[in-house]
């Protein structure tokens, strides 16, 4: 990366590092106090320290290595040690924004870009970075206008894969499962009945298995004349667009938590592709809107074009 002055800089900042360090300090002091007082809650203190330590390391890692540095000729993009690269705008085939809600308090928004070689990368950003992303997209659009051959949808294959951020989700579920197993070991040593620690282990194990299956098998290949859809090892099928009677993208909201205590209830958002094939069979395909909003819109658009809409 050449030393230069950039017009905009998108980084994670130090807020997350500071907050996670404070949390680590507080929980670390609490764990030490539990240890000195020989409290039975020492295992809880250790678990809190592990969670806060992981949060601190991840926040520090992102603060050090994640950066998007933008100037009038291109931008430098880095997410990990050694993978930083400067892209000239003429190297970017297209760029788009995708977003989706997950809970009441969290909306993930991504800036996605595809190089002329077909490689897709993305980074999440917050409202404070909106001016930077808007400038970045305008510069890319100017390059696209200069090269009219780069159409938004030219029938090329697009792929939605469970491997996108799948490793992160598996790591999280495995980490949570390991914490529950550590807690179970401590509770078993104290002579508590198995029911007290088996109940939380079961859903954590199921979640881990589901994430692994999703990572290995989930795939939607959007091609020129049709699409292949698979969500598990047994339901893969290819559909021609002409075989689809109707389709639409659906958002569903479900509330979780106590009905009596409305203050702690959370609204989770689920996004589905719902379509009916020529045999009148309906399928509902869950997808991550924040990551794959553009791909799903292209899929629906190709189906509707085949139907003459």
């Amino acid at each position: 990366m050449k030393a230069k002055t950039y017009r905009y800089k998108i980084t994670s900042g130090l807020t997350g590092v500071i907050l996670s360090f404070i949390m680590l300090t507080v929980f670390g002091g609490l764990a030490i106090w539990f240890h000195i007082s020989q409290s039975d809650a020492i295992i809880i203190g250790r678990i809190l320290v592990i969670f806060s330590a992981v949060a601190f390391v991840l926040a520090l890692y992102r603060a050090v290595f994640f950066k998007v540095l933008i100037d009038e000729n291109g931008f430098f993009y880095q997410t990990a040690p050694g993978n930083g690269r400067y892209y000239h705008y003429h190297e970017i085939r297209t760029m788009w924004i995708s977003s989706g809600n997950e809970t009441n308090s969290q909306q993930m928004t991504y800036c996605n870009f595809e190089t002329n070689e077909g490689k897709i990368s993305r980074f999440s950003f917050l409202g404070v970075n909106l001016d930077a992303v808007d400038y970045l997209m305008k510069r890319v659009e100017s390059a696209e206008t200069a090269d009219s051959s780069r159409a938004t949808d030219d029938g090329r294959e697009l792929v939605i894969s469970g491997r996108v951020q799948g490793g992160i989700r598996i790591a999280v579920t495995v980490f949570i499962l390991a914490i529950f197993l550590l807690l179970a070991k401590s509770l078993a040593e104290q002579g508590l009945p198995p029911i007290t620690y088996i109940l939380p282990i079961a859903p954590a194990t199921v979640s881990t298995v589901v994430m692994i299956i999703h990572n290995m098998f989930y795939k939607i290949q959007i091609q020129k004349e049709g699409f292949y859809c698979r969500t598990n090892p047994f339901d893969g099928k290819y559909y021609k667009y002409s075989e689809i009677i109707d389709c639409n993208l659906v958002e569903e909201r479900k509330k979780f938590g106590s009905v009596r205590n409305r203050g702690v209830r959370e609204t989770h958002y689920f996004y589905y592709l719902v379509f009916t094939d020529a045999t009148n069979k309906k399928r509902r395909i869950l997808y991550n809107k924040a990551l794959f909003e553009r791909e799903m819109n292209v899929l629906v658009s190709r189906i509707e074009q085949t139907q003459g809409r």
Side-chain angles (χ1 to χ4, degrees):
M1 179 177 62
K2 298 180 180 179
K4 60 169 68 178
T5 300
Y6 290 92
R7 182 162 182 169
Y8 292 101
K9 297 181 179 181
I10 301 176
T11 62
S12 65
L14 295 177
T15 302
V17 177
I18 295 172
L19 292 177
S20 58
F21 179 75
I22 293 174
M23 184 173 65
L24 177 60
T25 302
V26 172
F27 289 150
L30 187 63
I32 293 173
W33 183 78
F34 285 153
H35 179 74
I36 294 175
S37 62
Q38 296 184 344
S39 170
D40 292 337
I42 181 62
I43 185 63
I44 302 299
R46 291 173 180 172
I47 291 174
L48 292 176
V49 169
I50 293 173
F51 270 111
S52 55
V54 171
F56 173 71
V57 170
L58 292 177
L60 183 62
Y61 180 90
R62 183 172 173 82
V64 172
F65 296 111
F66 169 73
K67 55 178 67 74
V68 182
L69 311 177
I70 307 166
D71 63 30
E72 62 181 13
N73 298 313
F75 62 97
F76 178 82
Y77 172 72
Q78 180 178 356
T79 59
N83 77 341
R85 176 183 169 185
Y86 185 85
Y87 295 90
H88 289 90
Y89 292 124
H90 63 77
E91 298 180 79
I92 307 302
R93 184 178 187 277
T94 186
M95 179 174 284
W96 68 96
I97 299 294
S98 59
S99 64
N101 291 302
E102 295 186 0
T103 65
N104 282 329
S105 59
Q106 185 177 18
Q107 180 184 43
M108 296 301 298
T109 304
Y110 290 90
C111 177
N112 311 262
F113 62 92
E114 180 182 3
T115 66
N116 293 331
E117 293 77 26
K119 179 183 177 181
I120 295 178
S121 302
R122 56 178 58 84
F123 60 89
S124 61
F125 67 93
L126 302 175
V128 67
N129 305 125
L130 190 58
D131 288 343
V133 173
D134 184 60
Y135 175 82
L136 180 60
M137 293 193 66
K138 286 180 178 178
R139 297 297 297 171
V140 171
E141 288 172 359
S142 296
E144 290 178 0
T145 301
D147 183 2
S148 59
S149 64
R150 295 189 289 180
T152 302
D153 180 18
D154 57 3
R156 294 181 310 115
E157 178 177 281
L158 302 177
V159 178
I160 297 175
S161 173
R163 296 184 182 276
V164 177
Q165 298 191 354
I168 297 175
R169 295 186 177 91
I170 292 175
V172 170
T173 56
V174 169
F175 176 72
I176 293 174
L177 177 59
I179 293 296
F180 281 139
L181 291 174
L182 178 63
L183 180 60
K185 182 175 181 290
S186 176
L187 295 176
E189 291 174 349
Q190 297 177 27
L192 295 177
I195 190 67
T196 59
Y197 49 83
I198 290 179
L199 285 179
I201 290 177
T205 301
V206 172
S207 296
T208 302
V209 173
V210 169
M211 288 300 170
I212 292 174
I213 292 175
H214 182 83
N215 182 76
M216 293 179 62
F217 298 105
Y218 185 96
K219 177 181 287 188
I220 301 176
Q221 294 175 271
I222 305 168
Q223 300 175 345
K224 187 173 183 179
E225 303 295 335
F227 66 101
Y228 174 79
C229 179
R230 184 184 68 197
T231 61
N232 62 60
F234 311 106
D235 69 346
K237 185 175 181 179
Y238 179 83
Y239 298 89
K240 290 185 177 181
Y241 295 136
S242 57
E243 297 175 339
I244 306 302
I245 298 175
D246 62 71
C247 72
N248 54 78
L249 301 177
V250 177
E251 174 187 284
E252 292 187 0
R253 305 178 186 183
K254 296 182 181 180
K255 292 185 179 294
F256 295 87
S258 173
V259 177
R260 295 181 180 180
N261 191 355
R262 297 183 178 180
V264 298
R265 300 194 78 192
E266 288 186 342
T267 302
H268 289 246
Y269 295 77
F270 299 89
Y271 301 95
Y272 295 90
L273 167 70
V274 181
F275 64 91
T276 304
D277 63 19
T279 64
N280 210 32
K281 181 179 180 180
K282 179 176 289 189
R283 288 194 65 176
R284 287 164 52 90
I285 309 299
L286 181 68
Y287 73 99
N288 189 320
K289 183 174 181 287
L291 293 176
F292 302 114
E293 181 177 24
R294 173 226 185 188
E295 287 83 353
M296 279 301 185
N297 286 334
V298 169
L299 173 57
V300 172
S301 175
R302 290 182 182 178
I303 293 174
E304 290 179 344
Q305 288 178 8
T306 301
Q307 295 173 340
R309 295 186 186 180

